[in-house]
Amino acid sequence: MPMRPLDPAFPIERQFAIDASPIVFVNILTVDKADEQTFLQIWRDDALFMKQRPGFISTQLHRAIGANPMYLNCAIWEKTADFRAAFTSPGFRARLPSYPPSTVASPHLFQKVAVGGVCVA
């Protein structure tokens, strides 16, 4: 599956080196409409795989409003090392070629930010 970093200067492979806890994995995925149902089934299988990995907390898939299939996956992990181990595992990597060729992923890692009176870290 092709990957287009959200921040080309700091792709996910570089983010793996930063120890953080907890982390939020965000992945924007695009796919051709003809491949949408196949994409959803494969994503479901991958989510079930990830749920079994140490450090996994939760995931939620969102579909963009409109005719063109664009998805936002938001997953929470206990720490960078847990996510890195799952994402780079041979079991997960072997699954990636199953996605339709039209699928493009844009993954990035985030942390919660405290903003007084609005958000807690």
Side-chain angles (χ1 to χ4, degrees):
M1 171 188 332
M3 290 196 196
R4 290 190 189 130
L6 288 179
D7 179 357
F10 206 72
I12 197 158
E13 293 81 9
R14 288 188 60 200
Q15 296 167 42
F16 285 158
I18 298 171
D19 290 326
S21 180
I23 62 156
V24 179
F25 168 68
V26 171
N27 195 6
I28 297 173
L29 300 124
T30 58
V31 64
D32 289 346
K33 189 152 186 70
D35 294 330
E36 190 170 14
Q37 291 309 309
T38 301
F39 163 81
L40 287 170
Q41 182 59 51
I42 295 167
W43 184 89
R44 177 189 179 277
D45 293 345
D46 281 350
L48 292 171
F49 175 85
M50 289 299 204
K51 281 180 73 170
Q52 304 305 311
R53 312 315 319 159
F56 176 89
I57 296 173
S58 67
T59 193
Q60 179 64 55
L61 186 66
H62 307 266
R63 189 185 191 280
I65 295 172
N68 295 324
M70 179 184 297
Y71 289 88
L72 169 68
N73 176 29
C74 185
I76 301 171
W77 289 79
E78 289 181 15
K79 56 189 173 185
T80 309
D82 292 334
F83 176 73
R84 179 180 56 238
F87 192 81
T88 61
S89 72
F92 178 70
R93 294 309 231 181
R95 306 171 75 79
L96 295 180
S98 300
Y99 279 91
S102 66
T103 307
V104 177
S106 297
H108 205 85
L109 299 178
F110 293 86
Q111 283 189 286
K112 289 173 35 176
V113 175
V115 177
V118 181
C119 308
V120 297

